[in-house]
Amino acid sequence: MTVVDFHARLTPGDAEPAGLLDALDEAGIDRAVVCAGGLLPLDRLAAQITDGGRAEVSADNDGVRRACARSGGRLLPFYFADPERDVEAYAKKAFDFRGLEISPAVHGGRLDDPAVSELAAIAEAAGHPVYLVTVSRPGARPADLLALAARFPRVTFVWGHCGHHGLDVSGLGTIAARPNIVAELSGCLTVTARLAVSRLGSHRVLFGTEYPLQDPGVELRKIAALDLDPSDRQAVLGANACRLLREEMSWTP
């Protein structure tokens, strides 16, 4: 069974990508989608998720791309874009990456901002999925993601963590109306993961780990606890990710 982690991060420093690759090997995960991490101290990030705010921080997207190039094809880079500053840069470099991340928690803003639409249009041209975690503030809630996805029906939007907390089952009901929104499970409760599969269908659900903040083995045990039938389990663990990323299911390092 091919296993693809659709959400891991590379933090600055000499420990990566070796640390992530070791974690994937230990857990039995074949490949991972990676984005820049460590942009904010965790206390600051948690405060912004709760209270709002914007951090003037830039992701080391080029560093992520170089690290992925050294991974023998196991790590697939996503571009982490600040809508206020990175539209032009993403447009120039989009084809060096496999997808896009936008984070209202880190960079603030609203999903109806014209700059977000510009980023989505670039992602559409590049064939990129867009990873996005909604928050509780107006302009960046599941309903706002729904509206953005309606404006870009040919873009697949990945609803990260099934929302910004582990039990956003109302958000599942909101996004269900748009078939071009899929749910990524890292960090959510088992009950939320089970409801994601039942309400959206296994073809709209992705496995992820949120490495290094979460142990990949914990997320794999959560999938095991769902007791899915083999075809649904394969869809969630790898087949859906391979389809979105245009990757072959079988892979040999």
Side-chain angles (χ1 to χ4, degrees):
M1 180 178 291
T2 299
V3 181
V4 180
D5 174 359
F6 207 87
H7 187 62
R9 295 198 182 276
L10 288 178
T11 54
D14 296 334
E16 300 296 1
L20 172 55
L21 292 170
D22 287 346
L24 297 180
D25 288 340
E26 183 176 352
I29 298 171
D30 299 293
R31 281 167 283 181
V33 166
V34 296
C35 220
L39 274 68
L40 292 177
L42 289 180
D43 287 344
R44 171 76 181 275
L45 178 60
Q48 289 195 181
I49 291 171
T50 302
D51 302 325
R54 168 179 167 78
E56 297 286 343
V57 291
S58 296
D60 183 11
N61 291 302
D62 288 334
V64 168
R65 178 184 53 78
R66 290 192 297 269
C68 290
R70 300 193 301 270
S71 72
R74 295 188 70 186
L75 305 181
L76 308 174
F78 269 39
Y79 191 99
F80 197 156
D82 176 354
E84 286 196 12
R85 299 189 292 190
D86 288 337
V87 171
E88 184 177 350
Y90 175 52
K92 290 179 178 178
K93 299 180 179 181
F95 288 97
D96 293 331
F97 292 83
R98 304 298 297 275
L100 170 69
E101 178 174 2
I102 301 168
S103 176
V106 173
H107 293 123
R110 298 174 56 95
L111 299 184
D112 56 4
D113 187 315
V116 172
S117 290
E118 290 184 68
L119 289 171
I122 298 165
E124 180 179 14
H128 284 173
V130 177
Y131 185 94
L132 197 154
V133 180
T134 56
V135 293
S136 61
R137 299 187 304 279
R141 294 172 176 168
D144 303 298
L145 174 58
L146 185 78
L148 178 63
R151 294 196 296 274
F152 293 91
R154 291 188 294 273
V155 176
T156 298
F157 291 87
V158 180
W159 188 44
H161 311 319
C162 284
H164 75 287
H165 62 84
L167 193 59
D168 193 359
V169 295
S170 65
L172 282 173
T174 299
I175 69 160
R178 289 300 315 175
N180 60 319
I181 305 177
V182 301
E184 184 269 323
L185 300 180
S186 64
C188 73
L189 296 176
T190 305
V191 65
T192 309
R194 185 174 288 111
L195 286 170
V197 174
S198 65
R199 292 182 179 182
L200 304 180
S202 63
H203 64 290
R204 291 178 60 188
V205 179
L206 298 166
F207 166 71
T209 69
E210 186 62 291
Y211 171 93
L213 298 184
Q214 177 77 306
D215 185 301
V218 172
E219 292 297 329
L220 282 169
R221 286 191 288 274
K222 181 167 72 183
I223 301 301
L226 302 181
D227 196 26
L228 302 174
D229 68 48
S231 62
D232 287 341
R233 187 166 182 262
Q234 176 65 93
V236 171
L237 284 177
N240 296 335
C242 289
R243 184 182 69 252
L244 286 180
L245 298 165
R246 299 181 177 89
E247 289 282 310
E248 296 292 331
M249 280 291 291
S250 58
W251 180 82
T252 303

Coordinates of all heavy atoms in Angstrom, one line a residue, residues 8 10 32-36 60-71 73-80 90 93-101 128-129 245 247:
A8 N 3.5 17.8 5.7 CA 4.6 17.8 6.6 C 5.3 19.1 6.4 O 5.1 19.8 5.4 CB 5.5 16.6 6.4
L10 N 9.2 21.4 6.8 CA 10.6 21.4 7.0 C 11.0 22.7 7.8 O 10.7 23.8 7.3 CB 11.4 21.3 5.7 CG 11.3 20.0 4.9 CD1 12.1 20.1 3.6 CD2 11.9 18.9 5.8
A32 N 6.1 12.4 1.1 CA 5.5 13.5 1.8 C 5.4 14.8 1.0 O 6.4 15.1 0.4 CB 6.2 13.7 3.2
V33 N 4.3 15.5 1.1 CA 4.2 16.8 0.6 C 4.8 17.7 1.8 O 4.4 17.5 2.9 CB 2.7 17.2 0.4 CG1 2.6 18.7 0.3 CG2 2.2 16.5 -0.9
V34 N 5.7 18.6 1.4 CA 6.3 19.4 2.5 C 6.2 20.9 2.1 O 6.2 21.3 1.0 CB 7.8 19.1 2.7 CG1 7.9 17.6 3.2 CG2 8.6 19.2 1.4
C35 N 6.1 21.7 3.2 CA 6.1 23.1 3.1 C 7.0 23.7 4.2 O 7.4 23.0 5.1 CB 4.6 23.6 3.4 SG 4.1 25.0 2.3
A36 N 7.4 24.9 4.0 CA 8.2 25.6 5.0 C 7.5 25.6 6.4 O 6.3 25.9 6.5 CB 8.6 27.0 4.6
D60 N 11.0 30.1 3.6 CA 12.2 29.7 2.8 C 11.8 28.7 1.8 O 12.1 27.5 1.9 CB 13.3 29.2 3.8 CG 14.6 28.9 3.0 OD1 14.7 29.3 1.8 OD2 15.5 28.2 3.6
N61 N 11.0 29.2 0.8 CA 10.6 28.3 -0.2 C 11.7 27.7 -1.1 O 11.6 26.5 -1.4 CB 9.6 29.0 -1.1 CG 8.3 29.3 -0.4 OD1 7.6 28.5 0.1 ND2 7.9 30.6 -0.4
D62 N 12.7 28.5 -1.3 CA 13.8 27.9 -2.1 C 14.6 26.9 -1.3 O 15.0 25.9 -1.9 CB 14.8 29.1 -2.5 CG 14.2 30.0 -3.6 OD1 13.3 29.5 -4.4 OD2 14.6 31.1 -3.7
G63 N 14.7 27.0 0.0 CA 15.3 26.0 0.8 C 14.5 24.7 0.8 O 15.1 23.6 0.8
V64 N 13.2 24.8 0.9 CA 12.4 23.6 0.8 C 12.5 22.9 -0.5 O 12.7 21.7 -0.6 CB 10.9 24.0 1.0 CG1 10.0 22.9 0.7 CG2 10.7 24.4 2.5
R65 N 12.6 23.7 -1.6 CA 12.7 23.1 -2.9 C 14.1 22.4 -3.0 O 14.2 21.3 -3.6 CB 12.6 24.2 -4.0 CG 12.8 23.7 -5.4 CD 12.8 24.8 -6.4 NE 13.8 25.9 -6.1 CZ 15.1 25.8 -6.3 NH1 15.6 24.7 -6.8 NH2 15.9 26.8 -5.9
R66 N 15.1 23.0 -2.5 CA 16.5 22.3 -2.6 C 16.5 21.1 -1.7 O 17.1 20.1 -2.2 CB 17.5 23.3 -2.1 CG 17.8 24.5 -3.1 CD 19.1 25.2 -2.7 NE 19.0 25.8 -1.4 CZ 18.5 27.1 -1.2 NH1 18.1 27.8 -2.2 NH2 18.5 27.6 0.1
A67 N 15.9 21.1 -0.6 CA 15.8 19.9 0.3 C 15.1 18.8 -0.4 O 15.5 17.6 -0.3 CB 15.2 20.3 1.6
C68 N 14.0 19.1 -1.0 CA 13.2 18.1 -1.7 C 14.0 17.5 -2.9 O 13.9 16.3 -3.2 CB 11.9 18.7 -2.2 SG 10.7 19.1 -0.9
A69 N 14.8 18.3 -3.6 CA 15.6 17.8 -4.7 C 16.6 16.8 -4.2 O 17.1 16.0 -5.0 CB 16.3 19.0 -5.4
R70 N 17.0 16.8 -2.9 CA 18.0 15.9 -2.4 C 17.3 14.6 -1.9 O 18.0 13.8 -1.3 CB 18.8 16.6 -1.3 CG 19.6 17.8 -1.7 CD 20.6 18.2 -0.7 NE 20.0 18.5 0.6 CZ 19.6 19.7 1.0 NH1 19.6 20.7 0.1 NH2 19.1 19.9 2.2
S71 N 16.0 14.5 -2.0 CA 15.3 13.4 -1.3 C 15.0 12.2 -2.2 O 14.4 11.3 -1.8 CB 14.0 13.9 -0.8 OG 13.0 14.2 -1.8
G73 N 13.1 12.1 -4.7 CA 11.7 12.0 -5.2 C 10.7 11.8 -4.0 O 9.5 11.8 -4.3
R74 N 11.2 11.6 -2.8 CA 10.3 11.3 -1.7 C 9.5 12.5 -1.2 O 8.4 12.4 -0.6 CB 11.0 10.6 -0.6 CG 11.6 9.2 -0.9 CD 12.1 8.5 0.3 NE 11.1 8.1 1.2 CZ 11.3 7.6 2.4 NH1 12.5 7.4 2.8 NH2 10.3 7.2 3.2
L75 N 10.2 13.6 -1.3 CA 9.6 14.9 -0.7 C 9.2 15.8 -1.9 O 9.9 16.0 -2.8 CB 10.6 15.6 0.2 CG 11.2 14.7 1.3 CD1 12.1 15.6 2.2 CD2 10.1 14.1 2.2
L76 N 7.9 16.3 -1.8 CA 7.3 17.1 -2.9 C 7.1 18.5 -2.3 O 6.3 18.6 -1.4 CB 6.1 16.4 -3.3 CG 6.2 14.9 -3.7 CD1 4.8 14.3 -4.0 CD2 7.2 14.7 -4.9
P77 N 7.7 19.5 -2.9 CA 7.6 20.8 -2.3 C 6.4 21.6 -2.7 O 5.9 21.6 -3.8 CB 8.8 21.5 -2.9 CG 9.0 20.9 -4.2 CD 8.6 19.5 -4.1
F78 N 5.8 22.3 -1.7 CA 4.7 23.2 -1.9 C 5.3 24.6 -1.6 O 6.1 24.8 -0.7 CB 3.5 23.0 -0.9 CG 2.5 22.1 -1.5 CD1 2.8 21.0 -2.2 CD2 1.1 22.3 -1.2 CE1 1.8 20.1 -2.7 CE2 0.1 21.5 -1.7 CZ 0.5 20.4 -2.5
Y79 N 4.7 25.6 -2.3 CA 5.1 27.0 -2.1 C 4.2 27.6 -1.1 O 3.0 27.6 -1.2 CB 5.0 27.8 -3.4 CG 5.7 29.1 -3.4 CD1 6.9 29.3 -3.9 CD2 5.0 30.2 -2.9 CE1 7.5 30.6 -3.9 CE2 5.6 31.5 -2.8 CZ 6.8 31.7 -3.4 OH 7.4 32.9 -3.3
F80 N 4.8 28.2 0.0 CA 4.1 28.9 1.1 C 4.1 30.4 0.8 O 5.1 31.0 0.9 CB 4.8 28.6 2.4 CG 4.0 28.8 3.6 CD1 4.3 28.2 4.8 CD2 2.9 29.7 3.7 CE1 3.6 28.4 6.0 CE2 2.2 29.9 4.8 CZ 2.5 29.3 6.0
Y90 N 5.6 33.8 -6.6 CA 4.9 32.5 -6.9 C 4.7 32.3 -8.4 O 4.9 31.2 -8.9 CB 3.6 32.3 -6.1 CG 2.8 31.1 -6.4 CD1 3.4 29.8 -6.3 CD2 1.5 31.2 -6.7 CE1 2.7 28.7 -6.6 CE2 0.7 30.0 -7.0 CZ 1.3 28.8 -6.9 OH 0.6 27.7 -7.2
K93 N 7.9 31.2 -10.0 CA 8.5 29.9 -9.5 C 7.5 28.8 -9.4 O 7.9 27.7 -9.0 CB 9.2 30.1 -8.2 CG 10.3 31.1 -8.2 CD 10.9 31.3 -6.8 CE 12.1 32.3 -6.8 NZ 12.7 32.5 -5.5
A94 N 6.3 29.0 -9.8 CA 5.3 28.0 -9.6 C 5.6 26.6 -10.1 O 5.4 25.6 -9.5 CB 3.9 28.4 -10.2
F95 N 6.2 26.5 -11.3 CA 6.5 25.2 -11.9 C 7.7 24.5 -11.3 O 8.0 23.4 -11.7 CB 6.7 25.4 -13.4 CG 5.3 25.7 -14.1 CD1 5.0 27.0 -14.4 CD2 4.4 24.7 -14.4 CE1 3.8 27.3 -15.0 CE2 3.2 25.0 -15.0 CZ 2.9 26.3 -15.3
D96 N 8.3 25.1 -10.3 CA 9.4 24.5 -9.5 C 8.7 23.7 -8.3 O 9.5 23.1 -7.5 CB 10.4 25.4 -9.0 CG 11.2 26.0 -10.1 OD1 11.4 25.4 -11.2 OD2 11.7 27.2 -10.0
F97 N 7.4 23.9 -8.1 CA 6.8 23.4 -6.9 C 5.6 22.5 -7.4 O 5.2 22.5 -8.5 CB 6.3 24.5 -6.0 CG 7.4 25.3 -5.4 CD1 8.1 26.3 -6.1 CD2 7.9 25.0 -4.1 CE1 9.2 27.0 -5.5 CE2 8.9 25.6 -3.5 CZ 9.6 26.6 -4.3
R98 N 5.0 21.8 -6.4 CA 3.9 20.9 -6.7 C 2.6 21.3 -6.2 O 1.5 20.7 -6.4 CB 4.2 19.5 -6.1 CG 5.5 18.9 -6.5 CD 5.6 18.7 -8.0 NE 4.6 17.7 -8.4 CZ 4.8 16.4 -8.4 NH1 6.0 15.9 -7.9 NH2 3.9 15.5 -8.7
G99 N 2.6 22.4 -5.4 CA 1.3 23.0 -4.9 C 1.6 24.3 -4.2 O 2.7 24.8 -4.1
L100 N 0.5 24.8 -3.6 CA 0.5 26.1 -2.9 C -0.1 26.0 -1.5 O -1.1 25.3 -1.4 CB -0.3 27.1 -3.8 CG -0.6 28.5 -3.1 CD1 0.7 29.3 -3.0 CD2 -1.6 29.2 -4.0
E101 N 0.5 26.7 -0.6 CA -0.2 26.9 0.7 C -0.4 28.3 1.0 O 0.5 29.2 0.8 CB 0.7 26.3 1.9 CG 0.0 26.5 3.2 CD 0.6 25.8 4.4 OE1 1.7 25.2 4.2 OE2 0.1 26.0 5.5
H128 N -1.8 23.2 -9.7 CA -1.5 23.0 -8.3 C -2.8 22.8 -7.4 O -3.7 23.6 -7.5 CB -0.7 24.1 -7.7 CG 0.7 24.2 -8.1 ND1 1.6 25.2 -7.9 CD2 1.5 23.2 -8.8 CE1 2.8 25.0 -8.4 NE2 2.7 23.8 -8.9
P129 N -2.8 21.9 -6.4 CA -3.7 22.0 -5.3 C -3.3 23.1 -4.4 O -2.1 23.5 -4.3 CB -3.6 20.6 -4.6 CG -2.2 20.1 -5.0 CD -1.9 20.7 -6.4
L245 N -1.5 14.9 -7.1 CA -0.2 15.2 -7.4 C 0.4 14.7 -8.7 O 1.5 14.9 -9.1 CB 0.8 14.8 -6.3 CG 0.4 15.4 -4.9 CD1 1.2 14.6 -3.8 CD2 0.8 16.9 -4.9
E247 N 1.1 11.6 -9.4 CA 2.2 10.7 -9.0 C 1.7 9.2 -9.3 O 0.5 8.9 -9.1 CB 2.6 10.8 -7.6 CG 3.3 12.1 -7.3 CD 4.8 12.1 -7.7 OE1 5.5 11.1 -7.4 OE2 5.2 13.0 -8.4

